[in-house]
Amino acid sequence: MRVIATATLDAFAGAAADMVCDQVRGKANSVFALPTGNTPIALYAELARRTRVGLMTFTSTRVFNLDEYCGLSAADPHSYAAFLRSHVVEPWGLPLSQARLLRGDAADLAGECRAYDTAIDVAGGIDMCILGLGVNGHVAFNEPGSAWDTTTHVVNLAHATRAAHERQAADSWQIPDKGITMGIKTLREAGQILLLIAGSGKQAARAALDRAVADAAWPVTSLLGHPRLTILELSGVVEHR
Ligand code: GLP
């Protein structure tokens, strides 16, 4: 496990972007699992900048999102699919066929989970999984107490998760009770994991990682022992751009 601490948002985004670029230089058609939330916004902006100025091209990459709210269509501006389209798919110039985003509004959610797992398998698995960290230690939407042998599945969102999202929302909207998420087994099977830690309220989850003991109450500890785990943290509060 590698831990990198950065002092500024630019250094945080730059270090994460360097890792993404190294991955793509090594394998142009890398498969990524990508997070939403405030934490990765500066990373996505930096990757978009590198694309714009011609430093990098991501057009062969394939992307999956980690999670989605149940009940939201990809056209809903609150959906994670919409977030990833505007922060990643469009700036990277990805054909839609290379971006498989969870369908939160699927009539058959169990079927959607199976189809998603099949799509990940067909892509050859996740090469690089980038994760944010929930205030309660969740990764993607794997909430405290989740099983660790799971693939894509539907979850009940924890109270702490819904409260955090309500606080972050720019407008008032009813946060759904349920989410759909890649499971911990899928995350752990990724070739490499980049865990991004930034923002307020993450201290307790970070402390669980420091204890270095696998603990189902802190899903992030399921990542411990992964052979290529990097923890990249910003010691300060994330600025919003
Ligand atoms: C949500 C997402 C996670 C994300 C987490 C942290 O719950 N499901 O994938 O990592 O929020 O969000 P933020 O980066 O805004 O702190």
Side-chain angles (χ1 to χ4, degrees):
M1 172 171 107
R2 201 157 58 116
V3 180
I4 304 170
T6 53
T8 67
L9 186 60
D10 282 346
F12 177 72
D18 287 347
M19 287 187 62
V20 172
C21 292
D22 284 348
Q23 171 66 42
V24 173
R25 280 192 203 99
K27 181 182 175 189
N29 66 345
S30 287
V31 178
F32 287 91
L34 296 176
T36 51
N38 285 327
T39 304
I41 288 177
L43 161 65
Y44 294 150
E46 173 59 10
L47 293 172
R49 186 192 70 78
R50 292 184 189 192
T51 306
R52 258 193 329 272
V53 301
L55 283 173
M56 276 303 291
T57 174
F58 298 100
T59 46
S60 300
T61 61
R62 289 146 315 147
V63 303
F64 289 82
N65 57 348
L66 289 168
D67 47 17
E68 181 58 279
Y69 292 116
C70 286
L72 266 55
S73 79
D76 189 312
H78 293 114
S79 71
Y80 287 174
F83 177 99
L84 277 191
R85 268 202 321 275
S86 66
H87 288 277
V88 172
V89 178
E90 287 159 15
W92 290 12
L94 287 188
L96 282 180
S97 59
Q98 287 166 223
R100 174 65 166 96
L101 305 176
L102 279 161
R103 297 175 187 122
D105 62 341
D108 171 11
L109 284 172
E112 170 63 0
C113 292
R114 286 193 299 275
Y116 205 63
D117 289 334
T118 301
I120 293 169
D121 285 345
V122 168
I126 306 293
D127 292 306
M128 183 172 195
C129 177
I130 305 178
L131 293 164
L133 179 61
V135 289
N136 61 358
H138 76 209
V139 278
F141 270 148
N142 294 280
E143 298 284 24
S146 299
W148 288 5
D149 58 354
T150 49
T151 55
T152 306
H153 61 293
V154 173
V155 294
N156 292 317
L157 298 181
H159 176 72
T161 300
R162 297 181 70 237
H165 290 213
E166 251 156 42
R167 277 194 303 276
Q168 282 175 2
D171 54 355
S172 69
W173 71 292
Q174 187 67 38
I175 308 286
D177 294 336
K178 289 183 188 294
I180 181 169
T181 185
M182 273 187 200
I184 286 177
K185 176 170 182 283
T186 309
L187 306 183
R188 293 188 346 165
E189 282 173 356
Q192 68 165 316
I193 298 177
L194 171 59
L195 173 65
L196 302 174
I197 306 181
S200 55
K202 310 278 171 88
Q203 297 84 348
R206 181 66 185 85
L209 273 175
D210 278 340
R211 287 193 292 278
V213 175
D215 179 351
W218 297 98
V220 68
T221 62
S222 66
L223 308 178
L224 293 166
H226 188 283
R228 287 184 71 197
L229 167 63
T230 303
I231 299 175
L232 175 60
E233 52 192 337
L234 171 62
S235 37
V237 175
V238 172
E239 304 157 25
H240 298 279
R241 289 183 165 172

